[in-house]
Amino acid sequence: MLNVTLINHPLIQHKLSIVRDKNTNTKEFRELVSEIAMLMGYEVTRDMPLKEVEIETPMGIAKTKVISGKKLAIVPVLRAGLGMMDAMLKLIPSAKVGHIGLYRDPDTLNPVEYYCKLPYDADERDFVILDPMLATGGSASAAIDYIKQKGVKSIKLMCMIACNEGIQRINEDHPDVQIYCAAIDEKLDSHGYIIPGLGDAGDRLFGTK
Ligand code: PRP
Ligand code: URA
């Protein structure tokens, strides 16, 4: 069975439709990617463990719950993953942030690393990787490799648009990693772009094309 969770909440589907539209400008694109990330983050964090605590309210003692267990780290894959980072930090302000810089070689489509900085206590944290696009899966697989090299045991991959090729690649390379996405698109074109997708996520997010 494939380790993929499709988060198809109506608000996410609606916002994703606007993000896909070629007429959506950079400002709107950036805002919507962030909003989608926050809505997805709600589901991605659904299994966070809780512990019972007693809180003194103005009226008495409430037996209630707070998040417990391992702390979280988030890792945006540069560049486009940066568009999802602020939303996740709003949900989990105490999360630490690692950065992995990768770009796809346009000829081979293989990921080329140019930066990797992860929290010093990575092995004590659960990780969520952020990248809006899962195309061939090469970039996400490499990002997971770097994080595993630090001794990390629990990694989730959060993307907006995936396709079967990328999902299968991650399932083969990293069967322990759960993928969360908001859409699974039809196919890749000959340049490794997701069809219909949304185009080049980094360029649309930062206005570089
Ligand atoms: C995009 C995207 C992913 C990668 C997905 O980044 O943000 O990281 O492509 O493709 P893959 O699954 O085939 O590896 P890109 O290489 O365009 O870099 P950029 O965000 O810096 O523009
Ligand atoms: N990277 C993108 O930004 N878009 C795609 O469709 C594929 C890879």
Side-chain angles (χ1 to χ4, degrees):
M1 208 176 74
L2 295 174
N3 297 333
V4 61
T5 304
L6 180 63
I7 307 176
N8 56 3
H9 189 286
L11 284 172
I12 295 178
Q13 298 307 305
H14 180 86
K15 288 173 193 295
L16 192 55
S17 299
I18 307 173
V19 163
R20 287 180 188 274
D21 189 333
K22 66 177 185 185
N23 296 314
T24 297
N25 66 31
T26 303
K27 173 181 178 287
E28 290 167 325
F29 188 91
R30 207 178 282 147
E31 287 168 356
L32 286 159
V33 167
S34 188
E35 288 168 19
I36 292 168
M38 190 178 280
L39 292 166
M40 290 185 73
Y42 184 78
E43 275 304 317
V44 171
T45 53
R46 180 175 281 284
D47 62 354
M48 282 178 115
L50 294 167
K51 67 175 179 196
E52 284 210 356
V53 291
E54 287 191 354
I55 301 283
E56 198 175 341
T57 79
M59 309 305 288
I61 300 293
K63 282 189 196 298
T64 181
K65 289 175 180 165
V66 294
I67 288 169
S68 72
K70 275 196 179 174
K71 297 209 171 83
L72 210 73
I74 58 171
V75 178
V77 176
L78 309 182
R79 295 175 295 165
L82 287 173
M84 302 166 83
M85 184 183 73
D86 286 352
M88 284 300 280
L89 282 176
K90 279 209 178 98
L91 290 180
I92 309 152
S94 61
K96 286 197 175 169
V97 183
H99 293 84
I100 295 180
L102 294 168
Y103 70 87
R104 290 196 314 179
D105 181 294
D107 297 323
T108 65
L109 297 184
N110 289 328
V112 182
E113 187 216 339
Y114 59 89
Y115 192 76
C116 181
K117 189 98 179 172
L118 298 173
Y120 71 90
D121 56 355
D123 57 335
E124 294 167 21
R125 289 176 181 267
D126 294 335
F127 272 65
V128 180
I129 298 174
L130 310 175
D131 193 333
M133 309 304 278
L134 180 64
T136 66
S139 304
S141 185
I144 295 166
D145 280 336
Y146 290 123
I147 294 169
K148 282 188 173 173
Q149 279 165 22
K150 297 277 178 189
V152 177
K153 295 281 180 288
S154 164
I155 303 173
K156 292 175 177 174
L157 171 62
M158 180 171 153
C159 46
M160 290 191 331
I161 302 181
C163 66
N164 282 322
E165 190 169 330
I167 292 169
Q168 268 162 21
R169 169 84 189 262
I170 299 303
N171 272 264
E172 275 164 32
D173 292 357
H174 301 288
D176 54 313
V177 172
Q178 185 70 21
I179 303 166
Y180 295 82
C181 62
I184 300 174
D185 276 14
E186 219 176 295
K187 58 180 181 185
L188 293 178
D189 73 3
S190 56
H191 304 288
Y193 277 88
I194 297 177
I195 305 296
L198 52 71
D200 188 304
D203 283 340
R204 294 200 62 190
L205 195 61
F206 297 109
T208 40
K209 218 179 219 172

